[in-house]
Amino acid sequence: MSSSDTVSGSVPQKGRGRLWRLGEWCARRPVVVLVGWLLVLVGVQVADHLVGGAYSDDFSLPGTQAQDGRDVLAAHEPAAGGTSAQVVLHDGQPLVQFQAQVDQAVTSLQHLPHVLSAQDPLPPPGQAPQPGGPLAADGLTGYVTVRFDGVPSTFGSDYLTQVDGAVAPLRQAGVQVEYGGPLGELARPEPSDRVSELIGFGVAIVVLLVGFGSVIAAGLPLVSALLAVLLGLGLLGLLAALTTFATVAPTLATMIGLGVGIDYALFLLTRHRQNLMDGRDPRTAAGHAVATSGRAVLISGCTVVIALAGLSVSGISFMAKLGLAAGVTVVTAVCGALTLLPALLGVIGRRMDRFTVRTPVAEGTGPDDRSGTGEGTGPDDRSGTGGMWHRYARRVERRPWWYLAAGLVTVLVLAVPLPSIQLGHIGDGADPTSFTDRRAFDLMSAAFGPGSNGPLTVVVDQSAVAASDRPALASAVQQALAGVPDTASTAPLQTSTDGEVLFTTVTPAQAPQSEQTTDLVGHLSDTVLPDAVRGTPAATYVTGTTAAQVDFLDLVAARLVPIIAVVVALAFLIILLVFRAPLVALKAAVLNLVSIAASYGVLVAVFQWGWGGPALGVSGKVPIESYVPMMMFAIVFGLSMDYEVFLLSRVHERWRRTGDSRGAVAHALETTARVIGCAALIMVSVFAAFIVSDNVVIKMMGLGLAVSVLIDATVVRLLMVPAAMTLLGGAAWWTPRWLDRILPDIDAEGTNISPDDGS
């Protein structure tokens, strides 16, 4: 709408559209809809159980140095290639006393499927342990390096049983046996989100009961969200049969699906209950709710999915698939809100408030407005109650600069730690001591130093080097690797059986997740090795699990800015298309960036600085997992649009009817504050409940998302957005005429629907 258009009374009355008819049809035929949902849900779950795929962290990074080096080594020396893991042995007596059991275990491991080689940690009889070898100087701790043709964590529980059988003689002799690295990941307990889900649901029930007073009304969003998430997880399992998803994918999908599912259902339910209080019959009320708030839900859901799809810009399949996994449950959550919830509302009818714990309320009604008719005298006048949120809205209207400044100071203070963020990989040392890979990590660190948990493999491809020049090349490489800073030891160079490749192991001085180890990988690959082979056609690589993690970190860091730019641009475009207001879209993008920066700052303080990490079950200070900021940005930017669209829809709706920009902001805040507050508190509780997970990345993601939503729904949505919209006034909805002509007409808030249609 251009600034010259008449505001009041300019809206055409188009009557009932497709969304209205959809909602009313579902409410009038609830049995058909509910049976259809249950049949689809059961069918998908059965199909997932029969043919659904498994989740694993087996992914490659084509074109990276670590992957290329691994491929070269595997081609020329298969026994030294593949994925390595440690079987760590420890006893109070020297391990040489268990020579027979060690030899038997190593032989059994060598004969297991997928095993390329297994190194005996004990020296030949009569010889002392070699410095830097797999047996500690005191002889009490040693490790068997097992190389696999794939990632052990993908082999399944049956394979773990075979490994346990291979090392059984050692355990029977009383030797402590722990599995490190990828093999330890296979031995971890099956992750379970049930406790987190129960905590989130429990808090959601309490919030809904206190916020809206009705037992039935409190249960409907939970039922709708739960069924939608179950359907989404079943579909995700079927997709996992076609492609590989990370092990965190179902947890992330559950987390996002529950959060948005409850939110979307709550937005619709709140409008429906207000329609009932305004005198509409239940089925018409459901249709009107879907036609109005359902539009905002549909647009919000599309925004979240588009933001998650923006992760594909990274070019990293691991990230793109995490976005896809979360997007699946967002889609089913939208479908549940638009079809399943209206059907449930049709079944309940006017009995929604049959069981109450307090006087039921709906939009904008509060302690000072319990007349049962909503706020004011009718659907178009909901600002005369004098309730708490009305008084707060008027205070914001009178002093917008103060509220904007207060919100800005708050988020800037929270963002103070952000500049010191250190991206990296969270190692096994942060896991609970109940995990075998954590116990293996501790044993290795104590006996061989922390860097032994993440050895680096240096590979030199000398196939293009003349045979006469190869001895000098080997000498130059060995000399270059001697005394490199931040290395604990470097093994002698070995030559592949075909003579084409040189390889050795470099043990870092620090733990794999440390900043020093990350820098060491870069120093070796960018400086030390290229300098050593300069003037020759040899190619050098640094590979291994730790090197692959560093390559992944570099990729994520390099593509984080493009991801942010794409997601922000998409969000700006969506808000522009929906509200046809460039200033509103720009304001939304800027304020969302500020709130996300604040949540990043909290993550750095808690995990990287250690302010509260131990209280969350995290051992010591850990870096921020490399893909968490990118993942959080896409999710949070999408989720923040839920509240943005919901609040701005009401502002726009009121402004188009009255032309009073300041009054429209106050009215929208008053009308939506309760539902946004309750929805945010529920989503915060759902996300925060995942902090109890044993997976540190899930803890980090849960806390980050919870803090983000809390900041967005309180500081941003209740302070900064109303203040900014008040300051902009009518200019907020200004649109250049040329832009107005080319933008499509998207009715986000259903203002083209008569407020009295069907009542």
Side-chain angles (χ1 to χ4, degrees), residues 173-187:
V175 176
Q176 180 182 355
V177 181
E178 307 293 351
Y179 305 140
L183 186 59
E185 294 175 9
L186 175 63

Side-chain angles (χ1 to χ4, degrees), residues 38-119:
L38 290 176
L39 288 177
V40 172
L41 178 60
V42 171
V44 169
Q45 289 291 332
V46 170
D48 179 28
H49 180 73
L50 294 177
V51 300
Y55 303 96
S56 72
D57 294 324
D58 183 14
F59 65 95
S60 61
L61 298 172
T64 61
Q65 182 171 219
Q67 185 65 43
D68 291 345
R70 177 179 176 177
D71 294 342
V72 168
L73 189 59
H76 294 275
E77 189 70 20
T83 301
S84 65
Q86 296 80 33
V87 176
V88 185
L89 315 177
H90 177 76
D91 195 81
Q93 305 178 52
L95 292 177
V96 293
Q97 297 187 17
F98 305 95
Q99 179 82 54
Q101 291 88 342
V102 171
D103 291 344
Q104 183 180 355
V106 171
T107 301
S108 299
L109 288 170
Q110 288 173 336
H111 288 88
L112 289 180
H114 303 292
V115 172
L116 300 175
S117 64
Q119 177 189 18

Side-chain angles (χ1 to χ4, degrees), residues 326-342:
V328 168
T329 50
V330 172
V331 171
T332 56
V334 172
C335 293
L338 298 182
T339 60
L340 179 58
L341 182 65

Side-chain angles (χ1 to χ4, degrees), residues 393 646-652 654 662-673 676:
F646 192 64
L647 176 60
L648 290 181
S649 294
R650 294 308 182 88
V651 177
H652 198 210
R654 185 71 171 185
R662 284 182 169 242
V665 174
H667 161 77
L669 182 59
E670 172 189 357
T671 304
T672 63
I676 286 180

Side-chain angles (χ1 to χ4, degrees), residues 4 300 393 416 515 538 580 583 600:
S4 62
S300 298
V416 166
E515 192 171 4
R580 310 171 70 85
L583 292 180
Y600 284 172

